[in-house]
């Protein structure tokens, strides 16, 4: 009879150890997931960032000119390079177009650290009308040399 009791105690011990081990595993996995979540940078808030870009807008009466994205690529380092073709040569409209491209970068599904924009004439893609850049993360600040969400615009002559 002692043997049956001993077998019952061994079974109960194994069950307790298995439950304790699984609890430790769950707790460890939960902490690991939290640790990974802490390491991954959260993307900037789209609405706040878009509001900041809108407030930087040169002038509300300037219309966004017609444009098309003629080329775009995403680097492994999170840099989004985009080329926009347009017919306008108006400085205010070109600036508005660069700001618009920056707002598009905020809504991309991939993690974008920074965006570099080239604006070219539709009929002559070799001549750049304007360039722009913006950092979206601290990594992007290092890539662009500018502060986060600060749109740098340069008109080419």
């Amino acid at each position: 009879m002692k043997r049956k009791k001993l077998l019952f105690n061994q079974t109960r011990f194994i069950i307790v150890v298995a439950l304790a081990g699984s609890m430790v595993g769950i707790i460890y996995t939960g902490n690991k997931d939290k640790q990974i979540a802490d390491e991954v940078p959260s993307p900037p808030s789209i609405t706040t960032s878009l509001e900041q870009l809108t407030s930087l807008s040169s002038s509300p009466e300037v219309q966004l000119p017609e444009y098309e994205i003629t080329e775009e690529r995403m680097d492994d380092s999170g840099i989004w390079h985009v080329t926009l073709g347009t017919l306008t040569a108006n400085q205010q409209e070109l600036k508005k177009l660069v700001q618009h491209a920056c707002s598009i970068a905020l809504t991309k599904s991939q993690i974008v650290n920074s965006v570099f924009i080239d604006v070219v004439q539709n009929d002559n893609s070799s001549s750049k009308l304007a360039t722009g850049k913006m950092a979206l993360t601290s990594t992007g600040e290092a890539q662009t040399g500018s502060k986060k969400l600060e749109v740098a615009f340069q008109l080419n002559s």
Side-chain angles (χ1 to χ4, degrees), residues 56-123:
L56 295 174
S57 177
S58 54
S59 138
E61 63 272 356
V62 175
Q63 296 293 321
L64 182 66
E66 288 188 30
Y67 72 95
E68 64 176 315
I69 297 177
T70 58
E71 185 180 333
E72 70 175 313
R73 66 182 163 78
M74 180 72 78
D75 284 356
D76 292 337
S77 58
I79 301 174
W80 183 46
H81 298 273
V82 62
T83 303
L84 304 174
T86 187
L87 293 175
T88 189
N90 179 302
Q91 179 179 356
Q92 295 299 322
E93 289 179 346
L94 292 172
K95 189 171 186 174
K96 184 106 175 182
L97 190 56
V98 166
Q99 291 171 338
H100 178 70
C102 291
S103 67
I104 292 172
L106 291 169
T107 62
K108 290 197 82 54
S109 60
Q110 300 123 321
I111 294 178
V112 179
N113 292 318
S114 60
V115 59
F116 286 82
I117 303 120
D118 292 326
V119 182
V120 298
Q121 196 85 34
N122 266 352
D123 56 355

